[in-house]
Amino acid sequence: MFVFMTDKKLLAYLEGFLTDKRKSNFHKVLAERTKHFTVVLEDIYQPHNASAVVRTCDIFGVQDLHVIENRYINRVSKYVTKGAQKWITTERYKKDGDNTTTCINQLKKDGYQIIATSPHADASLLQDFKVDKKTAFVFGAEVTGISDKVKENADGFLKIPMVGFTESFNISVAAAIILQDVTTRLKTSNIKWQLSSQEKEKLYLQWIKETIKNVDKIEKRYYLNLKNE
């Protein structure tokens, strides 16, 4: 209980370093954030693509991003993300060569269905996809697409309708099209898609810390003063 109350006091203390406009903007964005959908990037090679997906998640209010690093290290370009990486929660899986299994198992444990994005013959069309279940959308490597491991463990496949000669979208474009569609339908549904009060409070504190310059020193001084009271 002491830790919880201390966090509350710390939050109030750090809020004093923010303008009313910044605090209002944080609350406005938090109201639109969701964990109902999440995105998984498996072995994305091009930093531009990964960075664009980070930016897309932020734009459409998808809070969590899961990054699998079996063959390639995921890198982002700050010029592309425009700072979006500060507001998105990124979980990286890079301990061994089978990080895909670790990620999928964790997501399923957290209640997500695994939907692989692929022009698979049995894939559901985007407009027919139902948004009621918690879903992790998996996007694979630029050239090879999703791995066999994802295909074996996916609960379903999703594709975007295409009528041209080109057989696939760039990964960042595909992510933008899918997230725009599913989040729009989600937010006009009766599904409870918003973050809980505790999730909002925790994220709010994280965002404040991202905003304040030299926040570590300020936080250290706060706890020192609290100890001396």
Side-chain angles (χ1 to χ4, degrees), residues 55-73:
R55 191 171 171 182
T56 294
C57 286
D58 177 49
I59 287 171
F60 293 117
V62 175
Q63 182 57 40
D64 295 337
L65 174 67
H66 299 263
V67 177
I68 298 170
E69 300 178 0
N70 291 321
R71 293 178 292 164
Y72 307 120
I73 297 174

Side-chain angles (χ1 to χ4, degrees), residues 18-27 87 204 207 211:
L18 270 63
T19 64
D20 289 340
K21 182 178 180 181
R22 174 53 68 98
K23 288 184 286 187
S24 176
N25 192 39
F26 278 172
H27 288 300
W87 318 120
Y204 181 51
W207 288 356
T211 303

